[in-house]
Amino acid sequence: MKKIRRAAGLLLAVMLLAVCAGGAALGAGSRDLPKSGRTVRVGYPVQKGITDVDEDGEYTGYTYEYLEEVAQYTGWDYEFVQVPGGQNESLLTLLEMLSGGGIDLLGGMIYTEQMGELYDYASHSYGVGETVLQTSLDNSEDVVINAQIPQTFRVAVVSGASRSIQALEDYFAINMTTPEYVYCDSDAEQLRALEEGRADMLLNSSMNYLEGVRTVARFNSKPFYFITTKGADGGLMEELNAAIMSIEQTDPYFTTRLLEKYFGPAEEKLTLSQAERAYVESAGALRVGILTEQPPYQYREDGALRGVSVDLLDYVAEQTGLQFELVACDTPEELSNLAGSGGVDLVASMPYDYDLARQRGLSMTRPYLSAQYVIITGEKDGGAAGQGRRLAQTTFAEWDGKGWEAEEILRYATTSECIRAVLDGEADFTYVDTYTAQYYINSPEYWSLKMIPLGDQDRSVSFGVVKPGSRELLSILNKAVLTIPEADMQGIVNQNLLRRQPATLAELIRQNPLGVVLTVGSVAGIIIAVLVFFLWQRAKMNRKNALELEKHFRVYALVNEYFFEYDYRTGIMVVSSPPKDGGDGPELIESDLNAETETPEGEERRARFRAIVASGESGTREAFFNCVDGRDHWLRFALETVFDGDAPAYTLGKINIIDEEMREKEALLERAQMDSLTNLYNAGTFRHLVCEDLAGLAAGEHGGLLLIDVDHFKAINDTYGHMRGDEALGQVAGLLRGSFRAEDIVGRPGGDEFAVYMRAVKDERSLADKCGDLCRRLRGLSPEDGMHLTISIGAVLAGQGDGYEEIYALADRALYTAKEQGRNGFSVAERAAGNET
């Protein structure tokens, strides 16, 4: 207990949040979960956003929700234990209870060597917190930390937060910045210091959400963990580690969504800097080129210019104070000529394409709308996959339709003329995006046309600023685009897609008699087929359900996507699958989500699927499933729940396969972790992975850290040039990758320095043998031009309880020793004797 008391001073350093307002009531609560044979007693200090209790007395927060997800894999029940007293007092009490076995688990702990001696840490973290600098959301000053210019900032800090202040000192030292501290007793006082102008920014944690501030800098990332009683978990920690790994592998973005849910800003707010406000005041009316024949983005109707882009410009003007003067252009060529001659300042709607923007002399904003490319055709079979057919294309086409070949290309001035050519039979098909296709096909005149998706080909739309444009203008437009609420943006789209009113039956017959007959016949045939199918499948289905299905099916037949409807009363889910090639209508698949499956694996998949579809919530969800084609796919669910009173009655929704999008995200994450020259781990990722392994070392287990410098690398650069120097570094990197096991961690912190962490090293002799072998293999490299490469290595054997900084310092001293001994060799730090050999 004395050790725990001595650790009391570490509490503010190891817990994620500072003291929350209000005390915690004495008692313990439990949740009704499936019985599993293990009830885990969890310490529950009330902390805002972490382990919280809402106004109805229900548990909530980041750690609480993560534990509930863990329970899905372990089957645990929880007993959440609260104790009286303030924040520090309750945390100390719970730590003592954990040490004595009074509770089993406590979350939100950052690893320190002192705490590691008292408690067992999970092998894997369940989140990462950062130290952040924040300024007032309403502050129009441009707060920019520039490492090239000496600066001084007044920073509001909480008295006693020594570790955070030290991290700030280190960050400012790197960036040539001097802090002037404004000491405060709480985060509320920090906010007052900002409001009263006594501080330029405040020091905070990314896990502590404060109203009315924005982040200007992030640093000092720290993973946090669950801890349990030292040496007495009875298998609990093993189950917890397995569950955390399953969560991360199944849904890599789960923790990101939790962070956004509990610590992200409640709403985005558009705030302009002083420079941007000055630009707005002096800019005057900006001339915006608008095409008259590119619906729904921009078009002329009843003599006025309308469209998604025009409505979005109205929104930008209202939010920012900018003024716009619309300039009508009948063709893309006319608009391009105006932009090139300085006749307009902006282009209202242009494809988000870097090459195209460069050709047209434009700078692009962030995209404000994105839609899939589709083929518009009048042929039942889609024109035999478009091969050898007549393609209608504008004379100023922005995309060549890669993947679809045409025997003959017919040129037209506008997209409207291209679609009309397909309708009249002059051409067999044309390319447009989904929104453009829906705009036309919503009109009865075009009901005979068909849409065929073009796989992964998407069209994103942005504003174009004519070069040389204003940096402030581009920044203002980007802020407006990125902060517009999704509901407002969708409202703008819908009011332009649905603007056209259906024509009368007489008008439809007069304009397109054959098309009307075919459409009516097709719809009638689909309705009859659906009625026959459902009468056969469910003889007792009442008339109301049949009529509802008929209404929905009319919509499904027009849209080439997966739609579904779930009935809470029966547990039946009906999915509308897009028509197969040559099919006249969508396929309906009916499934009872409450029925039992033949295998436990199938039951688990169905339970996960049912948890999303039957959640009773509206919104968007993403999950990884094994689908009916036998393959695993990432799916995005768009859900809308219909209530009968307070009870959910139906869930309607749409399902999209987003494999490519997720692969792109994973590729971006991987690139962010790697050094661009050598494709080894960069410094931050290397450190993070090594810290994770060190935290999981058990008694008697060892790892080995090697710091490697290329000898006299500056001379190589001076003699052979930097390009040959980079090639030499690439050769060293290749040798390192081939010299270590797949589970070892190989990185390049920077310059000519490399680092390797070997897992499961037997002893110092094995480590030394590996160092010697590596030096010999490096000498065997024979670059061209007579270049000769050697390396110096400093190594250290790590064991349970070692921290990254400690072993790094030892390896660094050993490297220095190797260089003093003449380089082209190695030195292993002698831990027991306190020197190197």
Side-chain angles (χ1 to χ4, degrees):
M1 292 303 175
K2 289 182 179 180
K3 288 185 178 180
I4 297 172
R5 290 290 179 181
R6 285 197 299 270
L10 299 172
L11 285 176
L12 290 179
V14 299
M15 296 305 294
L16 291 174
L17 299 178
V19 177
C20 294
L26 175 63
S30 63
R31 308 293 288 183
D32 293 331
L33 297 170
K35 298 302 179 183
S36 63
R38 183 192 285 274
T39 297
V40 179
R41 299 164 299 172
V42 180
Y44 205 85
V46 176
Q47 304 171 96
K48 183 179 179 182
I50 296 290
T51 43
D52 214 342
V53 178
D54 64 20
E55 58 186 12
D56 297 323
E58 296 292 325
Y59 294 123
T60 184
Y62 182 99
T63 295
Y64 170 75
E65 192 164 335
Y66 198 97
L67 283 170
E68 290 289 25
E69 187 67 16
V70 167
Q72 309 310 306
Y73 292 90
T74 60
W76 290 349
D77 289 341
Y78 293 116
E79 178 183 327
F80 294 107
V81 179
Q82 297 171 240
V83 296
Q87 180 80 57
N88 290 344
E89 183 181 356
S90 63
L91 289 176
L92 180 57
T93 302
L94 288 171
L95 284 169
E96 291 178 347
M97 292 176 65
L98 183 66
S99 181
I103 58 174
D104 305 308
L105 202 64
L106 192 60
M109 292 293 178
I110 293 173
Y111 179 80
T112 66
E113 293 185 22
Q114 295 93 328
M115 294 294 291
E117 294 176 359
L118 301 175
Y119 306 99
D120 283 336
Y121 277 70
S123 297
H124 310 285
S125 66
Y126 71 101
V128 177
E130 299 173 299
T131 304
V132 296
L133 286 171
Q134 297 173 318
T135 189
S136 173
L137 193 60
D138 297 324
N139 183 9
S140 61
E141 296 281 350
D142 289 322
V143 179
V144 179
I145 298 173
N146 189 340
Q148 307 302 314
I149 304 172
Q151 295 172 289
T152 299
F153 289 109
R154 298 169 300 165
V155 184
V157 298
V158 175
S159 301
S162 57
R163 289 178 180 264
S164 297
I165 294 174
Q166 182 59 53
L168 175 64
E169 294 273 5
D170 296 340
Y171 175 74
F172 272 1
I174 295 172
N175 289 281
M176 298 176 62
T177 303
T178 303
E180 292 181 0
Y181 293 120
V182 179
Y183 291 98
C184 305
D185 293 330
S186 65
D187 52 21
E189 188 176 340
Q190 286 180 286
L191 288 172
R192 285 196 298 273
L194 283 184
E195 294 170 358
E196 297 168 0
R198 294 184 288 115
D200 303 309
M201 58 185 72
L202 61 81
L203 185 65
N204 193 20
S205 165
S206 63
M207 305 294 288
N208 184 30
Y209 173 67
L210 296 179
E211 193 77 31
V213 297
R214 58 187 171 93
T215 298
V216 296
R218 297 175 178 271
F219 52 93
N220 193 36
S221 299
K222 294 287 186 181
F224 49 89
Y225 303 84
F226 290 107
I227 63 172
T228 188
T229 307
K230 190 76 171 179
D233 70 343
L236 181 145
M237 191 61 80
E238 181 180 354
E239 293 181 39
L240 176 62
N241 286 332
I244 294 175
M245 285 297 296
S246 296
I247 292 171
E248 293 301 315
Q249 292 171 2
T250 303
D251 186 358
Y253 301 101
F254 179 71
T255 56
T256 302
R257 289 196 299 272
L258 281 189
L259 285 170
E260 181 66 23
K261 177 177 180 180
Y262 289 105
F263 304 107
E267 61 180 12
E268 294 289 343
K269 181 180 178 181
L270 191 152
T271 303
L272 300 183
S273 67
Q274 285 184 335
E276 291 163 350
R277 292 181 187 274
Y279 174 82
V280 171
E281 292 176 359
S282 63
L286 299 169
R287 298 160 300 172
V288 185
I290 305 288
L291 287 174
T292 58
E293 286 293 334
Q294 197 185 61
Y297 299 99
Q298 42 191 339
Y299 55 94
R300 192 193 300 275
E301 182 180 83
D302 299 330
L305 294 173
R306 305 186 186 280
V308 172
S309 301
V310 175
D311 292 344
L312 185 56
L313 285 170
D314 291 340
Y315 172 87
V316 173
E318 180 181 351
Q319 296 295 315
T320 65
L322 287 172
Q323 303 174 48
F324 300 110
E325 175 188 333
L326 305 185
V327 179
C329 302
D330 292 330
T331 65
E333 291 92 335
E334 180 183 348
L335 178 58
S336 180
N337 291 335
L338 271 177
S341 63
V344 294
D345 304 302
L346 293 172
V347 172
S349 176
M350 67 166 293
Y352 189 74
D353 184 288
Y354 291 111
D355 291 335
L356 192 63
R358 194 160 34 248
Q359 293 169 12
R360 299 185 182 179
L362 300 173
S363 297
M364 299 180 297
T365 68
R366 299 301 301 161
Y368 58 80
L369 211 57
S370 182
Q372 185 182 36
Y373 269 110
V374 297
I375 285 177
I376 294 291
T377 180
E379 301 187 16
K380 180 178 179 180
D381 63 354
Q387 302 296 330
R389 314 300 293 175
R390 297 168 298 169
L391 166 65
Q393 196 172 53
T394 63
T395 55
F396 211 69
E398 63 196 43
W399 183 61
D400 294 331
K402 298 174 182 177
W404 282 64
E405 298 178 0
E407 184 178 85
E408 181 180 3
I409 298 179
L410 307 176
R411 298 292 182 178
Y412 298 88
T414 65
T415 301
S416 297
E417 293 179 13
C418 290
I419 295 178
R420 169 58 67 177
V422 174
L423 182 66
D424 295 341
E426 296 177 6
D428 298 307
F429 65 102
T430 188
Y431 303 102
V432 295
D433 64 72
T434 304
Y435 288 127
T436 303
Q438 287 178 345
Y439 178 88
Y440 284 98
I441 292 179
N442 281 345
S443 173
E445 180 182 358
Y446 296 93
W447 278 0
S448 61
L449 298 180
K450 296 178 177 60
M451 293 190 299
I452 302 175
L454 277 176
D456 297 331
Q457 300 291 349
D458 288 333
R459 179 177 187 263
S460 296
V461 181
S462 64
F463 292 119
V465 178
V466 177
K467 295 180 179 178
S470 165
R471 181 175 64 87
E472 287 76 17
L473 173 58
L474 191 63
S475 176
I476 293 169
L477 293 174
N478 276 329
K479 287 182 178 180
V481 167
L482 294 173
T483 58
I484 183 173
E486 184 177 350
D488 291 352
M489 190 68 230
Q490 195 59 51
I492 290 174
V493 173
N494 290 340
Q495 72 183 13
N496 286 281
L497 280 180
L498 305 177
R499 184 177 296 279
R500 292 191 171 189
Q501 299 298 321
T504 63
L505 180 59
E507 180 68 12
L508 288 176
I509 295 175
R510 186 186 68 79
Q511 291 187 359
N512 195 359
L514 180 59
V516 169
V517 171
L518 292 176
T519 300
V520 171
S522 298
V523 172
I526 292 173
I527 293 173
I528 293 172
V530 171
L531 291 175
V532 170
F533 177 79
F534 272 88
L535 286 173
W536 176 65
Q537 287 286 337
R538 302 193 53 86
K540 296 182 180 180
M541 181 176 292
N542 58 42
R543 179 62 178 168
K544 177 180 178 181
N545 288 341
L547 292 175
E548 287 292 320
L549 180 62
E550 177 184 336
K551 179 182 71 176
H552 295 161
F553 202 68
R554 284 177 178 265
V555 178
Y556 298 160
L558 297 174
V559 183
N560 194 30
E561 295 182 350
Y562 291 89
F563 287 86
F564 71 88
E565 176 177 318
Y566 175 73
D567 188 334
Y568 282 82
R569 181 179 57 84
T570 63
I572 298 297
M573 177 174 173
V574 179
V575 179
S576 168
S577 174
K580 303 294 189 297
D581 291 344
D584 291 331
E587 177 186 4
L588 292 183
I589 304 172
E590 181 177 295
S591 177
D592 185 354
L593 296 189
N594 293 330
E596 294 184 358
T597 59
E598 297 180 359
T599 64
E601 294 79 10
E603 180 59 33
E604 179 183 356
R605 285 196 300 270
R606 173 163 293 186
R608 290 179 56 227
F609 194 90
R610 183 170 55 240
I612 294 176
V613 173
S615 64
E617 299 177 356
S618 298
T620 302
R621 304 281 189 83
E622 295 174 357
F624 193 69
F625 282 101
N626 183 269
C627 299
V628 293
D629 61 359
R631 300 166 59 190
D632 292 333
H633 294 288
W634 274 102
L635 304 179
R636 176 178 290 130
F637 297 79
L639 310 171
E640 187 68 34
T641 302
V642 179
F643 288 82
D644 182 9
D646 294 331
Y650 296 94
T651 291
L652 310 175
K654 182 176 71 172
I655 303 174
N656 293 103
I657 298 175
I658 56 170
D659 292 342
E660 186 63 26
E661 177 182 335
M662 300 305 289
R663 281 194 293 268
E664 289 179 0
K665 288 183 179 179
E666 291 172 358
L668 287 173
L669 178 62
E670 181 178 349
R671 285 198 295 273
Q673 295 177 335
M674 309 306 287
D675 170 60
S676 59
L677 175 63
T678 62
N679 205 30
L680 302 178
Y681 286 119
N682 59 31
T685 305
F686 180 83
R687 176 192 177 97
H688 174 74
L689 294 176
V690 174
C691 287
E692 281 193 343
D693 192 81
L694 290 174
L697 287 178
E701 293 181 345
H702 297 93
L705 178 65
L706 288 72
L707 298 184
I708 304 164
D709 271 5
V710 178
D711 293 332
H712 305 297
F713 185 73
K714 183 178 183 303
I716 293 175
N717 276 338
D718 293 343
T719 303
Y720 298 97
H722 287 277
M723 182 176 296
R724 292 289 290 118
D726 288 348
E727 291 175 359
L729 292 178
Q731 289 181 300
V732 174
L735 183 140
L736 292 178
R737 278 194 297 269
S739 299
F740 293 91
R741 301 161 297 182
E743 62 266 25
D744 294 334
I745 305 167
V746 184
R748 180 189 175 221
D752 61 334
E753 181 182 355
F754 296 85
V756 180
Y757 179 81
M758 298 174 60
R759 292 187 169 102
V761 178
K762 183 178 179 181
D763 51 30
E764 288 186 357
R765 174 48 56 193
S766 300
L767 184 61
D769 291 342
K770 188 64 179 180
C771 292
D773 178 67
L774 195 59
C775 289
R776 287 189 294 274
R777 296 187 66 179
L778 195 284
R779 296 186 201 110
L781 287 179
S782 300
E784 299 175 358
D785 303 327
M787 184 190 300
H788 181 64
L789 296 178
T790 62
I791 56 174
S792 298
I793 305 175
V796 63
L797 189 70
Q800 184 183 35
D802 283 340
Y804 181 86
E805 289 79 8
E806 176 187 356
I807 64 170
Y808 190 96
L810 289 170
D812 192 51
R813 286 199 295 270
L815 175 60
Y816 182 79
T817 299
K819 291 181 178 181
E820 283 188 325
Q821 294 173 351
R823 306 179 188 266
N824 192 15
F826 67 91
S827 175
V828 178
E830 178 62 52
R831 301 295 301 277
N835 50 35
E836 293 104 24
T837 61

